[in-house]
Amino acid sequence: QVQLVESGGGLVQAGDSLRLSCSASGRTFSGYVMGWFRQAPGKEREFVAAIYWTAGTRYYADSVNGRFSISRDNAKNTVSLQMNSLNPEDTAVYYCAAGVRPLRAIEASSEYGSWGQGTQVTVSS
């Protein structure tokens, strides 16, 4: 059974950086896509970024492209999200997710079968 545990959230000011980590366990992830999603109060969960575990191919939402960077460490079984130039609109609970390839739509949360508990990111203006 896949287990995902996020860490690294916190309170920062606009313009600051933050790095989130997701520790993955329970199986090998060579056939998986790892994603980051976020959900702000009163809004639906939205796609942030994803990475193919084996190939390392990356995808980003338009709203974070150029500011956020997703990466994975095969040896440590972790997926990270480096977030730069944060703004108050980035405030949300951030979730790590794992989906078995192939995904019909990499940005669709329904394609991911395993989720972490989430970590809060708050950006003050």
Side-chain angles (χ1 to χ4, degrees):
Q1 184 174 353
V2 174
Q3 291 187 321
L4 305 172
V5 179
E6 303 97 334
S7 61
L11 172 63
V12 297
Q13 293 186 334
D16 285 352
S17 297
L18 205 59
R19 186 176 182 87
L20 305 182
S21 292
C22 173
S23 177
S25 62
R27 62 168 301 129
T28 57
F29 291 91
S30 58
Y32 277 73
V33 178
M34 306 300 292
W36 284 96
F37 288 76
R38 67 186 182 186
Q39 188 166 17
K43 295 187 177 181
E44 293 186 354
R45 190 169 297 188
E46 66 173 359
F47 171 76
V48 176
I51 186 169
Y52 278 73
W53 189 273
T54 301
T57 308
R58 297 167 171 82
Y59 299 86
Y60 297 96
D62 289 342
S63 59
V64 306
N65 197 20
R67 299 189 298 124
F68 291 11
S69 178
I70 188 171
S71 61
R72 56 68 172 111
D73 186 325
N74 290 350
K76 296 181 179 180
N77 260 19
T78 58
V79 178
S80 297
L81 184 68
Q82 177 66 40
M83 305 185 295
N84 300 326
S85 301
L86 286 162
N87 59 62
E89 289 70 38
D90 296 316
T91 295
V93 177
Y94 283 71
Y95 297 91
C96 178
V100 180
R101 293 178 54 192
L103 304 188
R104 289 172 295 182
I106 202 164
E107 74 280 5
S109 60
S110 58
E111 293 293 307
Y112 296 78
S114 301
W115 292 83
Q117 82 287 351
T119 185
Q120 176 71 46
V121 172
T122 303
V123 185
S124 63
S125 58

